[in-house]
Amino acid sequence: MRILLPLLIYCSLLSACDNATTRQWLDPDKEFAEFEQPDVPTISSTQEEAARQAIAAGDYGNAASTYAQLMDSKKATEADKIRYQIALADLDRRVGQFESALAKYDTVLAKQSNNLDALEGKGLALMAIQNIAEAGTLFKTVLAADPKRWRTLNALGILFTSKNMIPEAMAYFAEALTISRDNDAVLNNVGLSQAIARNWQRSEQAMLQAVRVASNPQRKKQIELNLAMIYGIQGQDNRARALSEKHLSGAALENNLGMYAHLANNQELAKTYLNQALTTSPTYYERAWKNLEIISGKRVSE
């Protein structure tokens, strides 16, 4: 037994040596490639997320600058560039630069004629400049391809409201809210539409809910000024002033309060103004008195 054990050990050592001389060593690069690598965000994805956060905060200028930088990146793929172009077009539309927005949407559609985001955005821009017929055609195309797009449903609700077809508009708004629950933009439009129909209680309920859920400061401002107008049209001057003072002061405040008083005594003009508020940009109230002059077709004394 004493002789056998050393022999077994010796044979084992020889076998190990033989294996070492014939073994095919592993390629480290290939082996490490088999391991799951951590998901490290790229610079472009980080920038894009920063742009989205800027939009959520209402900082459209910063978001546009970021997307413009991404567009110029040499690493951007064609799919990336299309996504960035649509984002830039949406930002133009949000700040009322509709012609620039339309040009950008058309650039995308020249490459991808069925791009639903671009078709939808173009429809919204056309609606804002009162090209209702072409906007309606685009929304119909988008909805046929994807009936669950809340922006298109919301836009169709606006179009029916503009035709004074309030029940039909409410059906589209309701469907939009089933897809995007507590959406402040849709709730705002429900409130304005109900105000046009003089359903004041339902209008106020929708607007107050929109104010509660709004996270974008610029949009919240617009909603609260819409609600102030609704109060003003009803002759609730104190409530209109309290809301307006959160966002306006001096001449701008007094102009708006004067406008509300004028609308309170002219229901047809009030209806027109509410309808206009459905589709205009957040800067609308900054020049409210001038807009009132244009809509009424006559000079209103200040």
Side-chain angles (χ1 to χ4, degrees):
M1 177 66 75
R2 291 180 179 178
I3 297 173
L4 182 59
L5 184 59
L7 285 172
L8 289 172
I9 293 173
Y10 181 73
C11 289
S12 298
L13 289 172
L14 285 176
S15 298
C17 292
D18 288 342
N19 287 339
T21 57
T22 59
R23 179 177 180 180
Q24 296 296 315
W25 293 103
L26 299 176
D27 184 335
D29 290 336
K30 291 182 180 178
E31 290 301 310
F32 284 125
E34 298 296 324
F35 289 94
E36 184 175 346
Q37 299 297 317
D39 185 11
V40 180
T42 62
I43 293 175
S44 59
S45 66
T46 302
Q47 284 183 296
E48 192 169 4
E49 179 56 31
R52 293 193 194 101
Q53 291 177 6
I55 291 171
D59 187 358
Y60 300 140
N62 191 28
S65 296
T66 302
Y67 276 117
Q69 291 174 14
L70 288 168
M71 277 289 291
D72 291 337
S73 172
K74 294 180 179 179
K75 294 183 179 180
T77 65
E78 187 62 27
D80 290 335
K81 289 183 178 180
I82 285 174
R83 189 171 67 254
Y84 302 153
Q85 186 83 318
I86 293 173
L88 286 167
D90 288 343
L91 286 164
D92 281 346
R93 177 173 54 78
R94 285 173 183 264
V95 298
Q97 297 178 7
F98 302 117
E99 295 302 328
S100 177
L102 287 169
K104 289 182 175 67
Y105 290 130
D106 283 338
T107 297
V108 173
L109 291 170
K111 299 174 182 177
Q112 295 183 354
S113 60
N114 294 322
N115 187 299
L116 296 184
D117 291 330
L119 288 169
E120 184 178 66
K122 183 177 180 179
L124 293 169
L126 288 169
M127 185 171 68
I129 60 174
Q130 301 301 308
N131 190 338
I132 304 302
E134 190 176 351
T137 299
L138 290 176
F139 292 141
K140 182 178 178 181
T141 300
V142 172
L143 208 59
D146 182 1
K148 297 296 183 181
R149 296 182 73 91
W150 73 263
R151 285 185 178 84
T152 294
L153 291 164
N154 179 58
L156 288 167
I158 293 172
L159 291 183
F160 277 107
T161 299
S162 68
K163 295 181 179 181
N164 206 32
M165 300 170 68
I166 305 301
E168 291 82 357
M170 288 302 117
Y172 280 99
F173 290 140
E175 183 64 19
L177 287 170
T178 63
I179 297 165
S180 183
R181 185 177 178 181
D182 275 343
N183 185 297
D184 57 348
V186 180
L187 288 166
N188 169 77
N189 293 339
V190 170
L192 288 168
S193 298
Q194 291 293 347
I196 288 171
R198 301 179 64 78
N199 295 325
W200 302 119
Q201 184 176 3
R202 294 175 67 184
S203 172
E204 183 180 359
Q205 288 173 347
M207 297 301 287
L208 288 173
Q209 178 66 3
V211 170
R212 280 193 291 270
V213 300
S215 57
N216 182 309
Q218 188 63 41
R219 186 177 292 164
K220 186 171 184 176
K221 172 186 174 180
Q222 185 180 11
I223 294 168
E224 289 191 322
L225 287 172
N226 283 341
L227 180 55
M229 178 172 61
I230 290 169
Y231 286 146
I233 290 171
Q234 297 176 75
Q236 298 183 31
D237 298 336
N238 290 337
R239 299 179 80 180
R241 176 179 284 275
L243 265 181
S244 298
E245 283 178 337
K246 294 174 65 175
H247 307 289
L248 303 173
S249 61
L253 173 63
E254 296 307 320
N255 278 349
N256 270 37
L257 293 174
M259 178 194 71
Y260 300 155
H262 190 78
L263 293 174
N265 295 319
N266 188 333
Q267 293 305 316
E268 276 305 307
L269 189 56
K271 182 177 177 180
T272 301
Y273 209 82
L274 286 164
N275 217 326
Q276 187 79 357
L278 278 165
T279 57
T280 48
S281 69
T283 60
Y284 190 67
Y285 287 102
E286 304 300 332
R287 51 192 183 92
W289 200 254
K290 184 176 180 180
N291 284 329
L292 181 59
E293 294 171 7
I294 294 170
I295 291 171
S296 63
K298 60 182 180 181
R299 181 75 185 178
V300 179
S301 59
E302 296 187 18

